[in-house]
Amino acid sequence: MAGIFFVTGCDQGEGGQEAERRQFAKVNQEETPELAEYMQHIRRYTHKLSLSIKERNSDLADFYMHELQASALAVKQDVPGYEGYDIAYFTELMFDPAVDTLRTSLSTRNWKLIEEDLDNLVNSCNTCHNATGHEFINVTSGMEKNPYNQVFKPEE
């Protein structure tokens, strides 16, 4: 079981909250799940979401949007801190707002807007990678490639 502890004080202010966040991120590394295992689910669902959007398949896009959100929640719950970084905080700060915006635009069926919001979602991933010293991980939407044995076009 991973050990997490909080440092609290009477008057935390902004500096105290930041110290608490840093302390929260210090999870026992030996017992913390491998973050890459969780990120691969986010990558796969983002890619499948991208292919669904490319094919204008709103039902499939909604499905993968749900799976993507569930995967992000699992990261926040299971790997809130990793290698000294507050992963839950970065997810809430960068990824979640982009997901919420894309979820909203999916309901409009305005595909140009949806594609722009998808790009913003992918950019939020790269921004987080940069912020956590993993700038060498640069992801794309992957719309041009379909390695899955799955059809993404909606049935006519």
Side-chain angles (χ1 to χ4, degrees):
M1 178 184 323
I4 300 174
F5 62 95
F6 295 91
V7 176
T8 60
C10 296
D11 182 20
Q12 289 188 352
E14 285 187 36
Q17 290 174 348
E18 184 59 31
E20 185 175 316
R21 281 199 171 281
R22 280 193 305 272
Q23 196 62 36
F24 178 72
K26 292 182 180 178
V27 178
N28 183 341
Q29 294 301 306
E30 294 170 7
E31 298 180 22
T32 300
E34 180 61 44
L35 182 59
E37 296 294 322
Y38 287 77
M39 288 291 124
Q40 73 177 336
H41 296 293
I42 289 176
R43 181 204 49 83
R44 183 177 64 248
Y45 290 133
T46 300
H47 191 191
K48 287 187 169 200
L49 174 63
S50 298
L51 294 170
S52 302
I53 289 170
K54 176 184 176 187
E55 297 298 339
R56 309 299 194 240
N57 189 336
S58 56
D59 290 337
L60 200 55
D62 287 338
F63 174 79
Y64 285 121
M65 190 79 222
H66 172 78
E67 296 303 315
L68 180 61
Q69 288 178 295
S71 295
L73 180 61
V75 167
K76 291 186 282 189
Q77 291 175 341
D78 297 349
V79 194
Y82 193 79
E83 294 181 351
Y85 293 103
D86 188 340
I87 301 303
Y89 173 72
F90 282 118
T91 303
E92 291 169 4
L93 181 68
M94 298 175 198
F95 189 75
D96 289 353
V99 167
D100 292 343
T101 300
L102 180 55
R103 164 73 69 196
T104 300
S105 66
L106 277 171
S107 67
T108 70
R109 304 303 185 233
N110 176 339
W111 294 106
K112 183 176 177 351
L113 175 64
I114 291 167
E115 287 177 357
E116 290 172 6
D117 290 341
L118 174 64
D119 287 342
N120 289 334
L121 174 68
V122 171
N123 288 335
S124 78
C125 296
N126 291 322
T127 300
C128 187
H129 296 160
N130 288 333
T132 58
H134 291 81
E135 61 280 345
F136 50 88
I137 301 174
N138 190 350
V139 297
T140 67
S141 65
M143 280 190 172
E144 65 284 349
K145 299 176 185 170
N146 180 0
Y148 308 103
N149 60 339
Q150 178 178 353
V151 175
F152 289 86
K153 285 187 176 188
E155 292 186 21
E156 301 293 323

